[in-house]
Amino acid sequence: MEMNKRLLYLLHRYGSVLLDEPMANHTTYKTGGPADCFFVPKDPACLGEVCEASAKEGISVLVIGGGSNLLVSDKGIRGIVVALCGEGESGIRIADSDDNLLYADARVDKKAFLEFALRRGFSGMEFLAGLPGCIGGGIVMNAGTSMGWFSDILTRVRIITKDGLVREKNISGDMISYRGLKFERGNIILGGYFRLQKAENPEEARKRVDDIILDREHKHPLEYPSAGSVFKNPEGHASWKLINDAGLRGYTIGGAMVSEKHTNFIINTGFATSSDIYRLIRHVQEQVEKRFGVHLEPEVKVLGEF
Ligand SMILES: Cc1cc2nc3c(=O)[nH]c(=O)nc-3n(C[C@H](O)[C@H](O)[C@H](O)COP(=O)(O)OP(=O)(O)OC[C@H]3O[C@@H](n4cnc5c(N)ncnc54)[C@H](O)[C@@H]3O)c2cc1C
């Protein structure tokens, strides 16, 4: 797609721009075709203006974080992909020490946030141990585990609305769902406020984190590219068990395989295309539906044309 010259000039002014950039370089699946334009802003405050200028040209804008929950089509993504990730502890501040409130920029890696909070003697955020990606992606996905979700500690978000305005919004109960926080279409997350607790015993908090990481290393096929669990757990079921009981452990299409270690992971064995992964997702859905009459809904965000 031909990018408008004025728009390109604007993007170059505000950050770095790569044209026809393979999304395989930006997804943990290591698959996905080219984004017309891959943009990393120096300061996300420019995104209001960028979105307005793009909308005038009829060019779509997609914001991503660390790409750890994405399956991007081999045909790529039309328009502009904005990457908000890769920030360290400099993107975190204590917003209110009496209230144990931290603010983290959307671009901050979850790992950096966890480390920052542990070092300052907080607890309540240990469930973040081993979760890939960034704060913004974690907020949108309401990421978490059986030990906690983002919505347990997130109180308020800073967003850019689709009209380009920077706003703060409290998290209310009706926004919270399993693997998702509901925002208005087109909202971009700039950061979030997290309420933690002072750990009674900070060393115990660190020990919990170390144990969680060891347990995840033991249970998850981290030696292969993946996007973590592919399917949400349907009410009353564990997806990994349904997939296992449907006889799909190790089932392969092209370079994509249902992990033998954890059957809710589909792994890239080294040469998978996104199409292989997509076809395997569909196959698993069909087989589980046929055998048990249960629909598996993907947790992974499928982007582009398949
Ligand atoms: C090995 C492995 C293990 C995993 N384990 C878990 C787990 O235990 N629990 C869990 O919940 N998830 C898990 N995941 C999935 C994934 O890591 C989480 O969903 C993570 O929070 C996604 O963050 P991200 O920054 O990579 O977001 P991305 O994958 O880049 O984006 C996710 C979604 O958020 C949107 N988005 C991202 N940033 C913004 C922003 N700033 N503004 C607006 N929209 C935005 C994207 O458009 C997309 O729709 C795992 C993944 C892997 C690879």
Side-chain angles (χ1 to χ4, degrees):
M1 183 201 237
E2 187 71 10
M3 291 291 291
N4 171 286
K5 282 210 173 73
R6 260 187 55 211
L7 187 52
L8 267 179
Y9 176 75
L10 185 75
L11 296 179
H12 277 293
R13 209 169 80 207
Y14 283 135
S16 68
V17 178
L18 296 167
L19 298 181
D20 293 323
E21 170 66 5
M23 287 301 292
N25 293 341
H26 306 282
T27 61
T28 54
Y29 258 135
K30 302 202 184 304
T31 64
D36 289 337
C37 177
F38 189 85
F39 174 55
V40 184
K42 281 188 217 127
D43 179 353
C46 71
L47 291 177
E49 194 182 334
V50 166
C51 289
E52 197 187 1
S54 310
K56 272 193 195 141
E57 302 299 331
I59 290 175
S60 64
V61 176
L62 169 76
V63 178
I64 66 164
S68 64
N69 205 45
L70 307 180
L71 177 63
V72 176
S73 160
D74 298 315
K75 294 178 193 154
I77 299 182
R78 305 290 68 85
I80 302 169
V81 173
V82 178
L84 294 184
C85 202
E87 180 82 48
E89 293 191 10
S90 57
I92 312 170
R93 62 183 165 81
I94 296 189
D96 183 340
S97 56
D98 294 334
D99 209 12
N100 300 326
L101 198 66
L102 302 191
Y103 177 80
D105 187 294
R107 296 170 292 175
V108 168
D109 287 327
K110 293 184 186 75
K111 194 175 170 189
F113 180 80
L114 178 61
E115 194 49 44
F116 180 98
L118 279 174
R119 266 210 321 281
R120 281 158 186 79
F122 288 110
S123 77
M125 66 299 151
E126 295 90 320
F127 72 89
L128 292 174
L131 293 194
C134 304
I135 289 295
I139 291 174
V140 172
M141 294 307 304
N142 195 12
T145 67
S146 56
M147 282 165 283
W149 297 355
F150 261 67
S151 54
D152 296 338
I153 55 173
L154 181 71
T155 62
R156 202 147 46 110
V157 284
R158 196 170 165 78
I159 54 173
I160 298 188
T161 66
K162 65 175 186 330
D163 307 316
L165 303 171
V166 176
R167 290 266 181 272
E168 290 202 351
K169 186 174 170 49
N170 290 332
I171 301 298
S172 53
D174 57 335
M175 294 169 72
I176 300 170
S177 70
Y178 165 51
R179 291 299 178 271
L181 277 175
K182 293 180 196 117
F183 294 103
E184 272 172 43
R185 221 180 143 74
N187 281 0
I188 296 172
I189 311 295
L190 292 178
Y193 293 85
F194 296 89
R195 181 166 295 118
L196 306 177
Q197 300 128 38
K198 272 284 171 201
E200 278 174 26
N201 183 341
E203 267 154 41
E204 261 175 28
R206 185 168 289 278
K207 168 93 174 52
R208 270 198 299 281
V209 164
D210 291 345
D211 288 347
I212 293 169
I213 289 173
L214 275 179
D215 188 54
R216 289 174 69 95
E217 281 170 3
H218 179 67
K219 289 183 180 151
H220 295 172
L222 300 182
E223 59 281 28
Y224 292 101
S226 79
S229 291
V230 173
F231 300 103
K232 296 180 186 175
N233 287 320
E235 192 79 40
H237 296 277
S239 292
W240 74 265
K241 185 152 193 334
L242 293 168
I243 298 166
N244 183 63
D245 294 353
L248 293 167
R249 183 179 290 268
Y251 192 90
T252 300
I253 293 184
M257 181 198 260
V258 173
S259 165
E260 299 192 322
K261 200 168 180 184
H262 189 312
T263 46
N264 198 15
F265 276 58
I266 289 179
I267 55 172
N268 175 355
T269 58
F271 58 93
T273 61
S274 288
S275 166
D276 293 341
I277 298 166
Y278 183 75
R279 284 186 296 137
L280 187 50
I281 289 176
R282 296 303 298 266
H283 180 77
V284 169
Q285 282 177 315
E286 281 161 21
Q287 291 302 307
V288 167
E289 190 123 26
K290 203 158 101 188
R291 293 285 295 273
F292 307 111
V294 178
H295 176 68
L296 290 181
E297 192 192 331
E299 178 176 326
V300 169
K301 299 281 181 190
V302 177
L303 302 176
E305 211 182 290
F306 280 87

